[in-house]
Amino acid sequence: MKILFAASEVAPFSKAGGLSDVVGSLPKALEKGVNEKAEIAIFTPLHGCIDLKKWNIKELENSEIWITFGSSPQKFKLFMTKLPDTNINVFFVQNDWYFSCFQEVYPKWLDTRYEHERYVAFSLATLEYAKQLNFKADIIHSNDWHTAMIPLYIKANYKFDEFWANTKNVFEIHNLAYQGIWFEDILDFANMRKDIVFNEWGCEHYGHVNWMKGAINYADKVVVVSPKYAEEILGSEFGEGMDYTLRGHKDKITGILNGIDYDVFNPKTDKSLVKNFDIKTLKNKEENKRAILKEFGLEYNPERPLIALISRLVDQKGLDLIREVENDLKHLNADFIFLGSGDKNYENLFIWLSNNTPNIRTYIGYRGDLANLIYAGSDFFLMPSKFEPCGLSQLIAMRYGSLPIVRATGGLENTVVGYPLNDSTGFKFWGYDGWAMKDAICCALEVYKDKYTFNAMRESAMKADFSWKESAKKYLDMYRSLL
């Protein structure tokens, strides 16, 4: 079995969100679970922020190709390295005009048309390079709208190409809110025949091109990153205007939980921590709490819990609930540390809270080492999401012994066992309002006083298995069912 992954970001080379963690760890788990004849290849853009020397990324000989989009020829080159600790080839598609010129995976303030051109170019170059390498994939696994063009290219431009005749397309939705919508002239740039793809059974959606809709229609299987989210998106509340199309393809939609790489997120070996720990040495976790509080200028008190939030600062993450109860939070017997970046309104809110409250501190931006220390040092982890396809932060938090406080939606509902159930691993609230969130926080603070219950929940959280092992089996079964 040959499996080709295409994604806009891949950890550890490039990272902006959870997509990179999934694409960087799922193939590793699949490699361990498939037979020796199986091959896995990953294609991703060579962003300017990727360190070639650090990851030993080399240009392949005679890899230069030219592809014309509309009337604009573009030059591409191909680079390669191995995914760390695997035998999996990672191929980086290089283009000076679209990718190498930026030091970010998703640069801010890009012209929308230009952003679409970037990923159209990457998707077509991926298919052309796969042919040049003679990597005749049995499965092409595309991710989100950035590579949603691939199933359309396979069904339209390569319809009569014998090289792709037996290839099956799997399209994975990590977040339905971002669908890739633009005017139909982008099809001229992509060299796609409008008479084939621009219709309600293809990528046409209310008079515009919608790449995600096209991928849902043309893919052989659609994967959603949690069973609960797979149910939710079939209705209007979470369907983002795509629920009608999704209900029409209900038979090919499956929900498979994301996992995390337990070799990467391991409090026993993590070099970011002040003191390593595991379930048998939980007392060492307090040293990390002491260190992170000192880092943010807060006083350490073993009887005062620390609540963390690490997130992209966008509407989806439920941050408006914090705005609703900001005055109440500063009077709670707890400290708060927020880390993230995104919407300027939320950045400004968190900066203001950091400067004007005695118990709330903020770091605007992202640092992996600091994030891991926050996971390790916090007692609770707040995720009040409006919707959450899967979520990785709550899985990492549990791995580091930080109990999630979550709104029960999507993957948060699937992964967190709410107090006071047996083997509970966190706290849930259902209503989308600040007072429901505050009630859940207050419940957590009461449990913190009962050290027997709190430690039992912490042990249950750390014992919970959200490694890729079980999820990888489900992916393999899905691939085999298509073949």
Side-chain angles (χ1 to χ4, degrees):
M1 184 191 303
K2 288 188 175 183
I3 307 167
L4 188 157
F5 281 85
S8 56
E9 51 182 295
V10 179
F13 313 106
S14 56
K15 179 177 171 62
L19 169 61
S20 67
D21 291 315
V22 173
V23 182
S25 53
L26 173 57
K28 189 186 299 186
L30 292 173
E31 184 186 45
K32 296 177 181 177
V34 298
N35 58 54
E36 292 180 3
K37 295 181 180 179
E39 293 181 57
I40 300 172
I42 303 172
F43 281 78
T44 191
L46 185 63
H47 301 286
C49 58
I50 295 175
D51 190 331
L52 302 184
K53 291 183 179 179
K54 179 179 180 180
W55 303 112
N56 193 31
I57 299 171
K58 305 289 186 183
E59 181 181 351
L60 297 183
E61 291 184 8
N62 303 316
S63 69
E64 182 179 309
I65 62 172
W66 287 81
I67 303 175
T68 299
F69 297 92
S71 59
S72 172
Q74 288 291 335
K75 180 175 74 173
F76 298 89
K77 294 181 181 179
L78 194 64
F79 290 67
M80 189 191 85
T81 192
K82 296 287 185 182
L83 190 65
D85 303 319
T86 74
N87 197 39
I88 297 171
N89 291 327
V90 182
F91 296 99
F92 299 87
V93 176
Q94 190 269 349
N95 177 273
D96 291 330
W97 180 250
Y98 289 126
F99 295 107
S100 303
C101 52
F102 296 108
Q103 291 298 312
E104 300 174 78
V105 176
Y106 307 116
K108 294 180 181 179
W109 322 121
L110 280 190
D111 177 76
T112 306
R113 161 71 187 227
Y114 174 69
E115 187 173 26
H116 280 255
E117 289 183 8
R118 296 173 78 214
Y119 290 105
V120 166
F122 166 67
S123 296
L124 186 54
T126 292
L127 293 173
E128 286 298 307
Y129 272 124
K131 287 187 69 174
Q132 283 206 359
L133 296 167
N134 197 31
F135 193 85
K136 190 182 292 187
D138 298 299
I139 301 287
I140 294 181
H141 190 138
S142 308
N143 295 271
D144 277 348
W145 81 265
H146 313 94
T147 53
M149 306 85 180
I150 289 177
L152 279 78
Y153 273 127
I154 293 292
K155 297 293 184 181
N157 294 39
Y158 294 95
K159 186 174 183 178
F160 301 107
D161 190 325
E162 290 187 6
F163 188 84
W164 299 113
N166 298 315
T167 298
K168 300 296 183 182
N169 279 285
V170 171
F171 179 66
E172 183 149 4
I173 300 173
H174 297 263
N175 193 332
L176 187 63
Y178 304 99
Q179 299 176 5
I181 301 170
W182 193 245
F183 300 102
E184 64 178 281
D185 67 297
I186 194 66
L187 295 174
D188 296 322
F189 174 83
N191 296 322
M192 286 187 188
R193 286 180 52 180
K194 292 182 184 178
D195 59 327
I196 296 178
V197 301
F198 195 64
N199 52 63
E200 61 181 295
W201 303 281
C203 64
E204 186 273 329
H205 196 60
Y206 295 102
H208 288 76
V209 168
N210 184 309
W211 293 118
M212 186 171 281
K213 180 179 180 179
I216 291 168
N217 282 325
Y218 287 129
D220 299 289
K221 203 76 174 177
V222 176
V223 183
V224 185
V225 292
S226 72
K228 181 66 175 178
Y229 192 59
E231 296 173 10
E232 290 176 339
I233 61 176
L234 299 179
S236 58
E237 182 181 358
F238 297 98
E240 302 290 346
M242 197 57 61
D243 51 297
Y244 179 83
T245 299
L246 289 163
R247 287 196 296 273
H249 293 288
K250 187 177 179 180
D251 59 324
K252 67 180 182 184
I253 298 173
T254 185
I256 303 176
L257 268 178
N258 279 340
I260 57 174
D261 190 332
Y262 273 29
D263 293 329
V264 174
F265 298 107
N266 186 351
K268 192 174 182 178
T269 59
D270 192 335
K271 295 180 180 178
S272 303
L273 308 191
V274 172
K275 189 135 188 176
N276 294 107
F277 63 94
D278 59 16
I279 199 167
K280 295 179 181 179
T281 56
L282 264 173
K283 61 181 180 180
N284 292 342
K285 182 176 165 68
E286 283 297 300
E287 294 303 313
N288 296 288
K289 180 177 179 179
R290 192 188 299 272
I292 198 64
L293 287 170
K294 183 179 180 181
E295 177 81 15
F296 281 85
L298 293 168
E299 186 178 341
Y300 172 75
N301 181 347
E303 300 305 315
R304 187 177 173 89
L306 173 61
I307 302 173
L309 181 148
I310 299 173
S311 173
R312 288 182 296 114
L313 305 185
V314 293
D315 287 336
Q316 172 202 337
K317 299 301 183 179
L319 305 177
D320 50 324
L321 303 190
I322 294 175
R323 191 191 301 275
E324 286 182 25
V325 295
E326 58 182 81
N327 288 323
D328 297 83
L329 296 183
K330 66 183 179 182
H331 295 298
L332 292 177
N333 183 34
D335 294 310
F336 294 82
I337 289 178
F338 302 145
L339 180 148
S341 63
D343 190 313
K344 286 296 179 185
N345 290 326
Y346 292 126
E347 288 186 0
N348 291 337
L349 168 65
F350 285 179
I351 291 171
W352 186 91
L353 289 173
S354 187
N355 291 335
N356 293 277
T357 56
N359 63 331
I360 300 174
R361 296 292 182 269
T362 298
Y363 180 94
I364 298 299
Y366 183 81
R367 272 178 44 202
D369 59 335
L370 183 61
N372 283 14
L373 185 57
I374 292 173
Y375 282 121
S378 59
D379 300 298
F380 301 102
F381 191 87
L382 183 61
M383 289 185 72
S385 303
K386 184 180 293 185
F387 64 93
E388 193 64 63
C390 179
L392 298 180
S393 294
Q394 82 278 15
L395 307 183
I396 301 169
M398 285 190 277
R399 176 74 164 152
Y400 283 75
S402 182
L403 302 182
I405 303 171
V406 304
R407 179 168 178 261
T409 181
L412 300 177
E413 170 70 7
N414 287 135
T415 55
V416 178
V417 180
Y419 174 83
L421 298 175
N422 290 335
D423 298 321
S424 52
T425 58
F427 302 84
K428 293 181 179 179
F429 64 97
W430 282 261
Y432 188 71
D433 65 80
W435 307 110
M437 180 188 74
K438 183 196 167 189
D439 286 345
I441 293 173
C442 289
C443 178
L445 299 186
E446 287 301 311
V447 169
Y448 185 77
K449 297 175 184 176
D450 179 1
K451 288 297 187 280
Y452 177 83
T453 302
F454 175 71
N455 288 327
M457 288 183 66
R458 182 176 269 177
E459 288 184 15
S460 294
M462 294 184 73
K463 286 178 181 176
D465 185 1
F466 292 105
S467 65
W468 274 108
K469 186 177 180 181
E470 290 302 318
S471 295
K473 289 179 183 177
K474 293 178 181 178
Y475 276 100
L476 284 170
D477 289 342
M478 177 190 63
Y479 295 151
R480 290 179 181 127
S481 70
L482 290 174
L483 300 178

